[in-house]
Amino acid sequence: MALLEVENLTIAYKTRRETAIAADRVNFSLERGRSVGIVGESGCGKTTLGMALLRLLPSNGFVKKGRVTFDGMDLLSLPDTRMQRVRWKRIAMIFQAAMNAWNPVQRIGDQILEAIRTHDPKITKAEAVKQVEQLYELVEIPADRIFDFPHQYSGGMKQRAIIAMALACSPDLIIADEPTTALDVIVQDQILQKIKAIQKEKNIALIFISHDIGVVAGVCHEIMVMYRGKIVEAGRREEVFEVPVHPYTRALLSSYLTIDGVFEIRDKQSPAPPCTPAEPLSKELCGYVHLCPHASEACRSRPPQWREITPTHKVLCSLCR
Amino acid sequence: MHFRKLIFRRIIEVMAIFFLILTGLFLLFHLSPGDPVSRMVQPGMSAEDASMLISQLGLDQPLWLQYLYYVKNFFTGNFGISFHYGQPVIHIIGRRLPNTILLFTTSVILSAAAGVFWGKLVAWYKGRPIDTWVTILALVCHTLFLPWIALLFIWIFAYHVGWFPLNGMITPEVWINPSAGFLTKAADIGHHMLLPLLTLFIIHVGSYLLIMRSSMLETLKEDYILTARAKGLSEKRVRNRHAAPNAYLPVVTSIGLSLAFSINGGALTETVFSWPGIGRELIFAVSNNDYPLALACFLFISLVVLVANVIVDVLYAYLDPRIRY
Amino acid sequence: MNFSAETRAACNTAAAKRSYNLQRFLDGWALFYENPVGKLGVFLLACFGVMALISYIPPLIDPMYHPMTGVDPWISNATGPSAKHWLGTDNLGRDLFTQLLTGARIAFMVGISAAFMSIVFGTLIGMIAGYAGRVTDAALMRFADMIMVMPSLLVVLLLASLFGQLNIWIIVLLIALFRWPGVSRVIRSQTLSLKQRPFIDMARVAGASHMRIIFRHILPNVLPMACLYMTFRVTSAIIVEAALAFLGFGDPNTVSWGMMLQWVWKTGHMFQAPYWLLPPGICISLITLSFYLIGRAMEEVLDPRLRKEENFE
């Protein structure tokens, strides 16, 4: 059995006017030591998905249906106190906005120590500090900076410190939500290499959420493309890159410029226009139909079906035969 | 050090503001219709006493010299002689100021502490009945008319129930008794202070609560709260160790801004309860056209607000490491 | 798709713009009215409005009901409620109910005019400070700081004693003079952020004068905030006026709620005449509450961050 199994996960937000579906019937599973990338434009529901796994949705968000099984535990029905023990100890998270992920009035070291000592109350402070020092070595921050305040760190250091904290309790799964978006390209690359190396070394499962398909391609074994709350294409990295099937995936790929030219894009087309949140998410029909250059009458009348291209490569599109 | 420099700058700023107030008061005093001499020198005074006072205050000099005299007199504590008491103003101020500071600081500290504590809890339970009701209660407290609530308290708790004295700060019989120790005297003052304190508390606790509530709600939207939750911390720890310390900061700022407002309330409370403080003295002096006393009272009240502001700034800098380091 | 171009063209016609503005106003109003806080505030305020309006009626029925000069010839001390005097009379035999009604009128007058004036001062000074920047900004803001640390009630009291006899309009003016700094700080910071926006540069490039930029481009954008602050200023103006009157510095020719409280206090009736002590205090507290509630509800409409929905994602 896989480490993490997500079945039919549907997440919704209550707003003043309506209940909006943010993630619609998401299915995937993840083995120990493997990594999956979730790609999509902002607002497509990818962060929501990550938050739902840790049960950290905003107060108006809720899981409508579906199951999340992690190491045999049904995460969605776990009592709160047991869920608190799963968080960070088993599933850690690297946040989208590392700039603001640190409490500005507490020392960084204290915040990492807090994570360690919450999950291991027996550890002495000296031992815990020692662990932090090792982690800092791993992410290459000088140990004398441990007890600085967040405003004394640079952006890249904050991000690396977050990674150090994510590793502090040696979790089985790390959810990295746009961990490098706010950084410049050089630092971004360093951090990505770091994440990749650590993931491999410690045999951690990784869910990597990003809007940048190039970044995901560099880190993950598998890729899932998400559009308006639905996974529209999922497969191994090479498959999705070499034979992108869904028109949206192709649009995404063509808007991403490869530097090393490893992947050749076959179907050049104009970059994908952003989805308009004002339009209601049609429940059953393909969400991309209004922008899709290949949309046929069938797309407008029938909901799309999952097709298997290969046993590991699937796509949700009516055009594909 | 950054921190010291900042506090130093604030002190200079506050001194400049005080100097502006000092000068503004002088200008107003001389611009207003009426003769400055007759306002500072009581009509019934003997001729030589009067001329001595006039020369002391520089009232026979040209205006610019008068201003220098006025500034010098402020620093030497010479404010003239009160009409009503027939004593040097500085003596009266010296007796009244500690009473005001006692009531003012106690009420501000107590109401801020309670408001912050409840605001924190209420924000945490946002949208639940407890939030709705406490918020409404706080709004009502905040808008109650202070003199009225003071009268109401006297009427209920002092007059009908008889738990507290009607007014004043001490019971003379207790203090005349030579065997009365420090504790007895302190208890007597405390007994007199409870009702004025309750009045000020009710009025101020609401606004502090509302400020803390909205500050806390803002803080709870921050990313580091999400981090704290994701770390598997208990909800209580997230609230008290991560959200609250950050939510205090804006509250401290608004406490600083509301100090002048609190002094208004303090003066009204002192008046209704006959608490012998400087605010009551000011209102009393103004009603009796006792100008030397009124001007001095006003200057010292401004000084109290300014000093309290500096203390608040120090507190802020202490709470926020971004300023401290 | 030329659909968006069409929409844009349609938006440019004046009628569409008007209907868009109307729609925005209606949306805001719906949000405001949906809020129980706003609804309660409007309801309370309407009650006080009715009180102020009908305050003209009793003196017409019988001169005995005039709030200041009307004295019931049969009564020479404070009496409790009766059919003739619904809330009783004061110690001179004047009807408390008409005094209470007239008090509502005075409270509205003082509150709204003082708030309006302080908003005008505050907005003007804030816009000038924010727009001019540099020395003007620094000087105006230090001046604002100075006024802000002065306890407004006590300053007005001192000024009142220096300048002698008070009438209600001088009180209003004095309140306004000492209540603008808070407003001007907010307006200044809004102006500062507006100044960064491209449309101000465009106006400048197009040759608009400073006056025109301030009044045509900045003012409309800061106006909602100014309106919001006005409701809060009404509250504080009413409280300051009532406190002044309570301390005996009111306009001797009008009756206000603060003055009623002063009379009950100074004549020593506070322990004997709850029918006299309670109503004015309740009225002052409730009218300030109603403006405050409206202000809070408006805040929620104007500041989308305070709305009850969280962000997506």
Side-chain angles (χ1 to χ4, degrees):
Chain A
M1 189 172 177
L3 178 70
L4 177 73
E5 276 187 42
V6 176
E7 290 162 62
N8 255 332
L9 189 61
T10 303
I11 307 159
Y13 284 108
K14 257 201 183 68
T15 65
R16 237 162 45 78
R17 291 199 180 81
E18 49 170 3
T19 301
I21 308 285
D24 192 6
R25 283 163 293 174
V26 173
N27 284 291
F28 70 97
S29 67
L30 187 60
E31 302 285 345
R32 218 174 274 271
R34 300 285 289 177
S35 58
V36 59
I38 302 178
V39 194
E41 62 202 53
S42 27
C44 74
K46 53 194 195 302
T47 300
T48 297
L49 192 57
M51 291 300 172
L53 297 184
L54 271 177
R55 286 200 0 214
L56 288 174
L57 288 172
S59 56
N60 61 337
F62 61 98
V63 172
K64 226 174 152 187
K65 58 176 191 272
R67 272 167 73 88
V68 177
T69 319
F70 174 79
D71 200 15
M73 288 179 286
D74 181 4
L75 282 192
L76 296 179
S77 62
L78 223 51
D80 281 346
T81 45
R82 281 196 61 200
M83 189 64 210
Q84 279 166 13
R85 269 178 274 152
V86 170
R87 288 181 189 153
W88 224 259
K89 179 78 196 149
R90 309 295 308 277
I91 308 177
M93 191 150 189
I94 300 173
F95 287 96
Q96 190 163 14
M99 303 303 131
N100 307 320
W102 294 103
N103 183 344
V105 304
Q106 267 185 28
R107 291 165 200 277
I108 295 230
D110 288 337
Q111 298 184 48
I112 301 179
L113 286 182
E114 188 183 33
I116 296 174
R117 301 185 75 186
T118 303
H119 293 288
D120 187 0
K122 272 176 270 170
I123 196 168
T124 66
K125 189 165 181 205
E127 283 167 359
V129 172
K130 204 162 191 141
Q131 274 189 28
V132 177
E133 277 166 9
Q134 284 165 1
L135 291 168
Y136 264 48
E137 206 172 304
L138 196 69
V139 295
E140 291 162 17
I141 305 177
D144 60 333
R145 300 294 301 273
I146 291 178
F147 288 99
D148 277 3
F149 280 100
H151 68 276
Q152 294 165 309
Y153 273 34
S154 70
M157 277 167 83
K158 278 185 207 168
Q159 189 66 64
R160 277 185 298 209
I162 284 275
I163 296 173
M165 185 158 83
L167 297 169
C169 301
S170 18
D172 304 295
L173 169 66
I174 291 182
I175 301 170
D177 184 2
E178 309 243 6
T180 57
T181 306
L183 305 172
D184 65 67
V185 188
I186 311 245
V187 183
Q188 185 173 341
D189 190 53
Q190 286 171 0
I191 301 232
L192 289 177
Q193 295 313 320
K194 201 93 252 171
I195 292 178
K196 206 170 155 183
I198 291 169
Q199 188 249 332
K200 206 166 185 176
E201 185 193 318
K202 306 218 165 193
N203 203 30
I204 298 171
L206 177 71
I207 296 177
F208 194 99
I209 298 170
S210 180
H211 65 266
D212 188 338
I213 198 162
V215 167
V216 170
V219 178
C220 300
H221 300 116
E222 277 152 59
I223 290 181
M224 296 197 294
V225 179
M226 201 164 178
Y227 183 72
R228 295 180 82 181
K230 285 184 181 126
I231 305 285
V232 293
E233 184 161 0
R236 297 224 313 280
R237 168 179 51 175
E238 299 79 15
E239 291 170 337
V240 174
F241 266 81
E242 277 163 29
V243 201
V245 178
H246 198 281
Y248 178 69
T249 314
R250 280 188 270 174
L252 257 191
L253 276 170
S254 67
S255 60
Y256 153 67
L257 301 170
T258 45
I259 296 167
D260 46 9
V262 171
F263 302 113
E264 196 188 321
I265 285 74
R266 298 191 179 164
D267 185 6
K268 284 262 183 216
Q269 50 172 260
S270 57
C275 66
T276 30
E279 290 173 53
L281 196 65
S282 48
K283 294 256 157 50
E284 298 302 328
L285 292 183
C286 172
Y288 194 55
V289 67
H290 60 301
L291 295 170
C292 182
H294 312 294
S296 67
E297 213 30 63
C299 298
R300 292 193 179 86
S301 54
R302 269 184 293 123
Q305 298 295 320
W306 279 105
R307 313 277 163 128
E308 278 191 8
I309 314 286
T310 70
T312 49
H313 187 187
K314 289 186 298 178
V315 66
L316 184 70
C317 182
S318 308
L319 293 169
C320 163
R321 270 169 260 282
Chain B
M1 222 166 88
H2 192 55
F3 174 54
R4 277 203 203 133
K5 223 170 78 188
L6 199 98
I7 297 302
F8 185 70
R9 223 188 71 198
R10 268 305 282 165
I11 290 176
I12 299 280
E13 247 176 57
V14 157
M15 275 160 65
I17 290 177
F18 184 71
F19 209 71
L20 274 178
I21 294 177
L22 200 67
T23 311
L25 211 55
F26 176 82
L27 288 177
L28 279 176
F29 187 64
H30 285 271
L31 281 176
S32 58
D35 172 29
V37 175
S38 69
R39 282 183 166 176
M40 293 305 282
V41 181
Q42 202 173 9
M45 226 177 226
S46 71
E48 62 250 53
D49 279 359
S51 64
M52 203 179 91
L53 194 63
I54 287 176
S55 71
Q56 256 187 12
L57 298 176
L59 291 176
D60 48 353
Q61 307 288 341
L63 202 60
W64 65 273
L65 250 182
Q66 276 192 39
Y67 177 66
L68 293 185
Y69 266 98
Y70 165 80
V71 173
K72 189 200 107 198
N73 281 334
F74 173 78
F75 286 105
T76 52
N78 187 351
F79 298 96
I81 306 224
S82 159
F83 291 4
H84 179 258
Y85 294 94
Q87 293 173 350
V89 167
I90 190 72
H91 291 177
I92 300 162
I93 302 271
R95 279 203 304 275
R96 301 292 185 245
L97 194 56
N99 301 340
T100 291
I101 291 176
L102 175 69
L103 186 64
F104 177 66
T105 44
T106 330
S107 70
V108 168
I109 291 172
L110 283 182
S111 46
V116 161
F117 179 78
W118 281 101
K120 182 175 83 175
L121 286 185
V122 162
W124 193 257
Y125 296 112
K126 186 192 171 202
R128 308 251 192 99
I130 182 172
D131 172 38
T132 317
W133 289 109
V134 174
T135 309
I136 289 173
L137 194 66
L139 276 167
V140 171
C141 282
H142 177 64
T143 51
L144 282 175
F145 185 52
L146 194 146
W148 178 68
I149 207 76
L151 290 177
L152 210 60
F153 280 170
I154 296 180
W155 179 53
I156 297 171
F157 294 112
Y159 183 78
H160 272 294
V161 190
W163 287 343
F164 301 102
L166 286 176
N167 54 28
M169 183 172 168
I170 53 169
T171 322
E173 295 84 59
V174 174
W175 288 62
I176 288 167
N177 187 353
S179 65
F182 172 75
L183 276 181
T184 330
K185 287 178 178 172
D188 184 47
I189 291 184
H191 191 209
H192 282 80
M193 199 164 93
L194 267 173
L195 219 43
L197 207 56
L198 184 66
T199 310
L200 285 171
F201 180 82
I202 297 262
I203 296 291
H204 292 143
V205 76
S207 56
Y208 291 136
L209 190 150
L210 294 172
I211 296 167
M212 180 65 185
R213 179 177 175 272
S214 59
S215 170
M216 188 79 173
L217 288 178
E218 278 301 301
T219 310
L220 287 175
K221 288 181 200 154
E222 296 284 345
D223 289 333
Y224 50 80
I225 299 301
L226 199 63
T227 315
R229 285 218 173 97
K231 268 156 74 175
L233 305 183
S234 67
E235 291 291 280
K236 203 175 152 194
R237 201 175 163 91
V238 174
R239 181 181 73 209
N240 293 340
R241 299 297 286 276
H242 289 269
N246 285 287
Y248 292 151
L249 299 172
V251 179
V252 171
T253 310
S254 32
I255 289 178
L257 291 177
S258 70
L259 284 174
F261 169 75
S262 312
I263 271 282
N264 281 337
L268 286 168
T269 313
E270 285 175 5
T271 309
V272 177
F273 285 96
S274 303
W275 182 267
I278 197 166
R280 171 170 172 260
E281 211 59 68
L282 171 63
I283 291 168
F284 184 73
V286 165
S287 319
N288 290 309
N289 291 332
D290 188 347
Y291 291 103
L293 186 58
L295 291 181
C297 284
F298 185 76
L299 281 178
F300 275 92
I301 287 174
S302 314
L303 202 59
V304 168
V305 176
L306 288 173
V307 169
N309 257 301
V310 173
I311 294 174
V312 165
D313 286 337
V314 173
L315 182 68
Y316 188 96
Y318 174 74
L319 287 174
D320 190 350
R322 279 163 291 189
I323 291 178
R324 225 178 335 143
Y325 291 94
Chain C
M1 243 184 261
N2 39 21
F3 149 79
S4 63
E6 267 168 37
T7 338
R8 225 174 295 136
C11 277
N12 280 338
T13 67
K17 209 179 256 170
R18 228 181 352 258
S19 85
Y20 172 73
N21 281 342
L22 185 70
Q23 190 55 45
R24 258 184 57 172
F25 174 77
L26 289 178
D27 278 356
W29 174 253
L31 201 59
F32 177 88
Y33 205 71
E34 208 173 84
N35 190 337
V37 167
K39 222 184 275 184
L40 183 63
V42 170
F43 172 74
L44 281 174
L45 201 64
C47 292
F48 284 110
V50 170
M51 275 178 75
L53 283 180
I54 62 174
S55 71
Y56 293 100
I57 297 172
L60 298 177
I61 298 172
D62 190 326
M64 156 181 108
Y65 288 121
H66 190 277
M68 291 298 285
T69 56
V71 175
D72 190 328
W74 307 105
I75 295 177
S76 59
N77 54 357
T79 54
S82 62
K84 207 163 151 199
H85 302 286
W86 290 353
L87 285 178
T89 64
D90 68 5
N91 60 331
L92 301 174
R94 294 180 296 188
D95 185 66
L96 289 175
F97 187 61
T98 34
Q99 288 188 351
L100 203 69
L101 294 180
T102 316
R105 203 167 75 209
I106 302 299
F108 270 112
M109 213 169 83
V110 170
I112 292 176
S113 47
F116 183 72
M117 274 158 73
S118 69
I119 289 303
V120 170
F121 294 152
T123 311
L124 274 180
I125 293 174
M127 285 195 307
I128 291 171
Y131 185 76
R134 283 190 293 239
V135 188
T136 322
D137 183 25
L140 285 174
M141 283 303 110
R142 285 298 87 75
F143 187 53
D145 278 350
M146 185 186 90
I147 290 185
M148 216 134 128
V149 295
M150 293 208 268
S152 50
L153 172 67
L154 301 180
V155 183
V156 173
L157 204 64
L158 196 66
L159 289 178
S161 84
L162 284 174
F163 288 87
Q165 194 56 58
L166 287 178
N167 78 38
I168 199 88
W169 293 111
I170 295 189
I171 295 175
V172 165
L173 182 68
L174 287 177
I175 294 174
L177 279 178
F178 283 91
R179 297 305 285 162
W180 59 265
V183 188
S184 68
R185 287 202 151 264
V186 175
I187 299 296
R188 170 181 169 268
S189 64
Q190 278 215 318
T191 309
L192 281 179
S193 77
L194 282 170
K195 226 168 84 177
Q196 307 299 324
R197 306 263 187 86
F199 72 91
I200 299 291
D201 285 334
M202 268 152 71
R204 200 174 298 144
V205 170
S209 67
H210 293 317
M211 274 297 162
R212 193 182 158 82
I213 292 176
I214 288 184
F215 286 101
R216 288 300 301 271
H217 298 284
I218 293 181
L219 185 64
N221 285 296
V222 298
L223 221 46
M225 211 46 154
C227 284
L228 168 65
Y229 267 75
M230 184 157 153
T231 61
F232 292 129
R233 282 296 167 268
V234 173
T235 316
S236 72
I238 290 176
I239 288 181
V240 171
E241 192 278 332
L244 277 174
F246 174 76
L247 294 171
F249 292 86
D251 183 338
N253 301 314
T254 53
V255 55
S256 74
W257 290 329
M259 212 169 272
M260 290 175 73
L261 280 177
Q262 194 226 356
W263 288 330
V264 69
W265 180 44
K266 284 287 165 179
T267 56
H269 281 80
M270 51 186 270
F271 301 142
Q272 286 86 42
Y275 53 86
W276 189 359
L277 172 65
L278 295 179
I282 293 175
C283 283
I284 299 173
S285 303
L286 282 184
I287 201 171
T288 49
L289 180 69
S290 70
F291 276 108
Y292 200 81
L293 291 178
I294 290 173
R296 276 180 73 94
M298 268 172 73
E299 206 167 35
E300 237 165 81
V301 176
L302 291 181
D303 186 357
R305 281 183 317 160
L306 292 174
R307 285 185 198 172
K308 287 197 177 69
E309 43 193 280
E310 252 89 356
N311 292 337
F312 254 53
E313 244 200 314

